[in-house]
Amino acid sequence: MSRFFSDKFNGLTPYVPGEQPKNREYIKLNTNESPFPPCEGVIRALNRDERSKLNLYSDPSASALVEAISSVYGVRAENIAVGNGSDEILAFIFNAFCDQKKGMAFPDITYGFYPVFASMFGVAHRVIPLDKDFKIRIEDYKDIKDNVIIANPNAQTGILLEKGDVEALILQDRSRLVVIDEAYMDFAGTSAVELTKKYDNVIAVQTFSKSRSLAGARVGFAIAECNLINDINTMKYSFNPYNINRLSIIAGREAMLDTDYMKSCVQKVIENREYTKGALEAIGFRVLDSRANFLLAESDTVSGRELYNKLKERGILVRYLGDRRIENFVRITVGNREQMDALIAAVKEILCECERKE
Amino acid sequence: MSRFFSDKFNGLTPYVPGEQPKNREYIKLNTNESPFPPCEGVIRALNRDERSKLNLYSDPSASALVEAISSVYGVRAENIAVGNGSDEILAFIFNAFCDQKKGMAFPDITYGFYPVFASMFGVAHRVIPLDKDFKIRIEDYKDIKDNVIIANPNAQTGILLEKGDVEALILQDRSRLVVIDEAYMDFAGTSAVELTKKYDNVIAVQTFSKSRSLAGARVGFAIAECNLINDINTMKYSFNPYNINRLSIIAGREAMLDTDYMKSCVQKVIENREYTKGALEAIGFRVLDSRANFLLAESDTVSGRELYNKLKERGILVRYLGDRRIENFVRITVGNREQMDALIAAVKEILCECERKE
């Protein structure tokens, strides 16, 4: 820390992204990326002509991208805000709508960035434990006056909160904002986007990083009532108006418009998820009922940390989160079938090793 | 404004970027972009193979880019922070090092984003008027206890503060941080990067948007003593760790390594700048002594606002800032020779029209 760092950041602990090792090639199952390349339209659209125009600023309103989202989701452009990944959108939301008086509430096991955003922007935050089965119990939010953010399906667990429960959460207290972080929703079920047309106290946040195979382009968006979107855009225009670069606007547009490709990727991921879940359960793992593109799994034979280390030695990276209540679990991104077979084979090997030792 | 917007943003007025009209093709001389495409290395490096990997997250440490900056500027990687444009870096700096107690001081005429950042992050700010010739007088900063940010060459005026004056500013008060925003320095003279090796209270900020023809890629960086860089990176990792997308990391690397191309572009811009300045002075304009890639110019015959409007009617976009003290000026980005000739011809026409009316 320098001698100039502001006191207001005493105690700020930055987010730690999943490791991106450069020393060797891993089967990378640790950051919930898509195992499939972006759709062909993305690759083609970033042609020499577009690359040659990188001397010009991007469109701050990113209208080509916003129009594509608008047409696919059936909402108006004024109901859409776009960001440099959904992390930026989430940061704008924490900053715009929360402070010391109106805080943010979220589950104890969820996206690890929420407490960091709260700390970064001086937002009071309240942690609501998941139940013993790692589920969100909406009754626990009934008397919470703070705004609420829910990842749905939930980060780390993958468990889905059904649409009726999401609506009930919104209706519990209309003076409270409910943010639904739907990074993994394309793998799961019905988005809260429809609810944003009925209620002015809900924001649906989505990303291009998972189902649309564009983690490397950094594109995310929010859909909500237009005054909420205006406020998010006030943050953007007070922070970084050209927040999405030229090529990512084009890539995002193409990826949004190719719904068939997205759906085919999602279908394969779901098949591989269920296949992997079955294989892990067959060798004694407890695997949570994930509706996302990852699995949270634990075994009685090998600890989460050990499994992570032994997989890494074998060239397979999974995520060991180490958080309280899930310290024995590893989080495994669902990749393609070959990657899953390699994972399952390695896990079996490791279990045999551990059993021999006992 | 929604009913959820935090009170802390009462009075926040977002930055207004230069207009990016889509209704017709303009000669665009309003946002200080380079008239030249990025170097061939950039265009080639963003090949199909790299575009096919957009499903993978970018490297949060952006080490390929940092290494290129490190080798060109002769500083260590630990002295470099990179951002999604220099706007993001500047935002991190305002937030990291300033607050209500330690504010930020800057000139009355400078980059219009500084007061917005101050307002966005709840930073006390102090405005120090330029002298009557639009120059920074470093004596005026002698007793300022706040941190100081200077665009050098200065935004809007293009006037350069000589390196000796920059060093004097740093030495005036070592308990104060001095930020030198060098967006236009490649067109002007000697960067403060060397001073960052001697002093721990200075940060040099640069961008790829001007001399390196990458405005559309959004890449900027800071060079400073390593603890200052750590603090900037604490902001980044608490806000958006994957802040630079995959393709912009590659583009930035290539643009940084091709110093010859950058220098040839800069040389042409300087020639066109002096050519245009001469032509405008020959028809009675007052043109400030810009060392940047733009000219701030005024005429007694036509007001700044009228000149802006009449140029726009003719398909030429310049920037009318309208700020106090420069309300009669327009800011003209230096383009290629054909663009400058078109501008000069249009200005002559407009002057004739105005003179006829009188």
Side-chain angles (χ1 to χ4, degrees), chain A residues 1-9 12-18 20 22 28 31-38 40 42-44 46-48 51-61 63 84-85 87-88 91-92 94-99 101-102 113 116-117 120-121 123 147 174-177 200-201 207 209-210 213-218 225 227-228 230-248 251, chain B residues 1-9 12-18 20 22 28 31-38 40 42-44 46-48 51-61 63 84-85 87-88 91-92 94-99 101-102 113 116-117 120-121 123 147 174-177 200-201 209-210 213-218 225 227-228 230-248 251:
Chain A
M1 194 190 299
S2 78
R3 60 196 175 95
F4 296 102
F5 202 44
S6 171
D7 293 341
K8 69 188 166 201
F9 294 119
L12 173 62
T13 308
Y15 180 73
V16 180
Q20 310 276 6
K22 288 162 209 141
K28 223 176 144 292
T31 50
N32 298 348
E33 293 144 328
S34 168
F36 307 111
E40 184 60 25
V42 165
I43 297 169
R44 262 205 315 270
L46 305 183
N47 56 33
R48 166 168 278 269
R51 277 130 62 202
S52 300
K53 290 185 197 149
L54 279 173
N55 55 311
L56 303 177
Y57 278 104
S58 47
D59 169 15
S61 68
S63 60
N84 182 35
D87 284 343
E88 192 184 64
F92 291 161
F94 269 79
N95 200 15
F97 305 114
C98 302
D99 46 38
K101 287 172 302 184
K102 189 83 170 180
F113 222 134
V116 180
F117 287 137
M120 173 79 172
F121 296 114
V123 165
N147 297 321
R174 298 293 304 278
S175 70
R176 184 180 80 180
L177 189 62
D200 76 345
N201 65 318
T207 179
S209 297
K210 313 296 177 187
S213 295
L214 278 185
R218 317 301 305 119
E225 182 271 331
N227 288 304
L228 291 168
N230 278 345
D231 295 342
I232 294 172
N233 279 331
T234 295
M235 296 293 96
K236 163 186 159 141
Y237 282 94
S238 303
F239 172 76
N240 200 359
Y242 301 104
N243 59 338
I244 311 188
N245 69 90
R246 285 184 80 91
L247 300 183
S248 293
Chain B
M1 194 191 297
S2 77
R3 60 197 176 94
F4 297 100
F5 203 45
S6 171
D7 292 344
K8 70 188 167 203
F9 294 118
L12 172 62
T13 309
Y15 180 73
V16 179
Q20 309 275 7
K22 287 159 211 146
K28 227 177 139 290
T31 49
N32 298 346
E33 291 144 332
S34 169
F36 307 111
E40 184 59 24
V42 166
I43 298 170
R44 262 206 314 268
L46 304 182
N47 55 32
R48 166 169 278 270
R51 278 132 60 204
S52 301
K53 290 185 199 148
L54 279 172
N55 55 310
L56 303 177
Y57 278 104
S58 46
D59 170 16
S61 70
S63 61
N84 181 33
D87 284 342
E88 193 184 64
F92 291 162
F94 270 79
N95 200 16
F97 306 115
C98 303
D99 46 38
K101 289 172 300 183
K102 190 81 171 183
F113 222 133
V116 180
F117 287 137
M120 173 80 172
F121 296 113
V123 164
N147 297 322
R174 298 292 304 278
S175 71
R176 184 180 80 182
L177 188 62
D200 76 345
N201 64 320
S209 298
K210 314 296 178 187
S213 296
L214 277 186
R218 318 301 303 120
E225 182 270 332
N227 288 305
L228 291 168
N230 278 346
D231 294 342
I232 294 171
N233 279 332
T234 295
M235 297 292 95
K236 164 185 157 140
Y237 282 94
S238 303
F239 173 76
N240 200 359
Y242 301 104
N243 60 339
I244 311 188
N245 68 90
R246 285 185 80 91
L247 299 183
S248 292

Side-chain angles (χ1 to χ4, degrees), chain A residues 151-221:
Chain A
N152 193 30
N154 197 10
Q156 322 316 358
T157 70
I159 294 172
L160 180 71
L161 190 66
E162 296 296 341
K163 196 183 164 189
D165 282 340
V166 173
E167 187 161 9
L169 204 54
I170 295 166
L171 286 170
Q172 274 178 354
D173 182 350
R174 298 293 304 278
S175 70
R176 184 180 80 180
L177 189 62
V178 175
V179 183
I180 310 293
D181 178 355
E182 303 191 324
Y184 304 105
M185 187 50 92
D186 286 333
F187 302 101
T190 313
S191 162
V193 166
E194 285 308 310
L195 299 174
T196 68
K197 297 177 184 172
K198 276 171 78 176
Y199 304 112
D200 76 345
N201 65 318
V202 55
I203 304 177
V205 177
Q206 296 215 357
T207 179
F208 284 70
S209 297
K210 313 296 177 187
S211 59
R212 295 190 190 271
S213 295
L214 278 185
R218 317 301 305 119
V219 188
F221 60 101

Side-chain angles (χ1 to χ4, degrees), chain A residues 18 40 43 84 150 193 203 237-238 266 302-303 320 323 336 344:
Chain A
E40 184 60 25
I43 297 169
N84 182 35
I150 299 286
V193 166
I203 304 177
Y237 282 94
S238 303
V266 162
V302 57
S303 77
Y320 176 66
D323 297 337
N336 60 33
I344 295 161

Side-chain angles (χ1 to χ4, degrees), chain B residues 19 22 41 64-65 87 101 185 204 216 223 230 233 252 255 310 317:
Chain B
E19 56 192 327
K22 287 159 211 146
L65 173 62
D87 284 342
K101 289 172 300 183
M185 187 50 93
I223 296 181
N230 278 346
N233 279 332
K310 286 182 177 294
L317 270 189

